[in-house]
Structure formats: structure tokens, C-alpha cells
Amino acid sequence: MKDDPAAYLPLSPATLHILLALAGEDLHGYGIMQEVLRQSEGRYKLGPGTLYDNLQRLTAQGMVQEVARRATGEVENDDPRRRYYRLMPSGRSVLSAEISRLETVVRDGKLRMLSAKPRRTS
């Protein structure tokens, strides 16, 4: 992974949502899709192809790691074939940098909207 988290910015929407989903806990693929849907209040849906392509790339970049089992404990009816994914410190740094970047975009956008003069229409 590159030393500077900003080198990965801006993140694609899919990557941003995956990293956000993993920021709370280790999740398997379907769990990530469900968490993205929950966090976006149903506005963003990840398909399996997009999810696993991104997970493969994020794993190669060292931002996400595949783990054998969920660290937060055993869950009844948990399929042992499921692959769980964990956000690594480097992934957390990139996510933090992206959140800061987006906060700046939103702040600047609000300032522009407040200072914009309404245009007169004839």
C-alpha cells in the first residue's frame, strides 16, 4: 500500500460504502451488502460482482483482510464456509482521509450556496 492515504482518493461510491460497512465489525460478503443497504437507507445497493471485485482489490492493497471467522463471537447457524472481511489500519486511514475530504466538499458547497446571489429571470 502507498504510504499516503490521500493517494487513494477520491474513493468510488462502492469502495466508500464497503469500507464504511467494515468500520464497525468484521462481516461476510452478504453482511456487507446488507450493511451498505442499511447505512444508505436503501439508496445504494451493491451487487455481488461489484462487491467481490472491490474486496479483491482492497485486499491486494492491504486495506481489507480476509479472516476465517468473525471475531465478535460465534453466531448460531453461521456457515463455516463464509469468508469474513476486516478493515485494516491502512483501510481505516484511507476511510478517514476520504471522510475529511468529503467534509471539506460539503462545507465549501454550503458556503457557496449561502453566498450565491439568486439570478433574476426575465
Side-chain angles (χ1 to χ4, degrees):
M1 177 168 160
K2 301 172 190 171
D3 290 334
D4 182 14
Y8 293 95
L9 306 184
L11 296 179
S12 71
T15 299
L16 174 61
H17 282 286
I18 291 166
L19 295 180
L20 281 170
L22 292 172
E25 65 179 311
D26 299 350
L27 294 169
H28 54 76
Y30 183 71
I32 294 170
M33 290 191 290
Q34 292 300 107
E35 181 62 11
V36 166
L37 204 56
R38 187 195 68 75
Q39 286 181 355
S40 69
E41 297 178 341
R43 291 186 296 269
Y44 194 82
K45 183 177 180 181
L46 273 177
T50 301
L51 173 66
Y52 289 105
D53 285 349
N54 276 277
L55 284 173
Q56 185 177 22
R57 183 179 45 75
L58 291 167
T59 299
Q61 291 172 330
M63 289 190 235
V64 170
Q65 178 183 37
E66 186 178 323
V67 292
R69 291 299 239 157
R70 185 159 73 181
T72 58
E74 296 298 317
V75 175
E76 191 174 323
N77 299 325
D78 195 17
D79 188 338
R81 297 171 293 178
R82 280 189 174 152
R83 295 180 186 175
Y84 282 84
Y85 298 90
R86 176 175 296 155
L87 184 63
M88 301 303 293
S90 57
R92 194 169 295 277
S93 294
V94 170
L95 178 58
S96 179
E98 177 69 343
I99 290 169
S100 293
R101 185 189 74 79
L102 290 171
E103 286 172 338
T104 300
V105 168
V106 169
R107 185 183 62 244
D108 291 350
K110 285 180 177 180
L111 287 172
R112 283 185 179 262
M113 294 299 290
L114 288 173
S115 67
K117 295 180 182 175
R119 295 184 185 212
R120 298 176 80 187
T121 58
S122 315

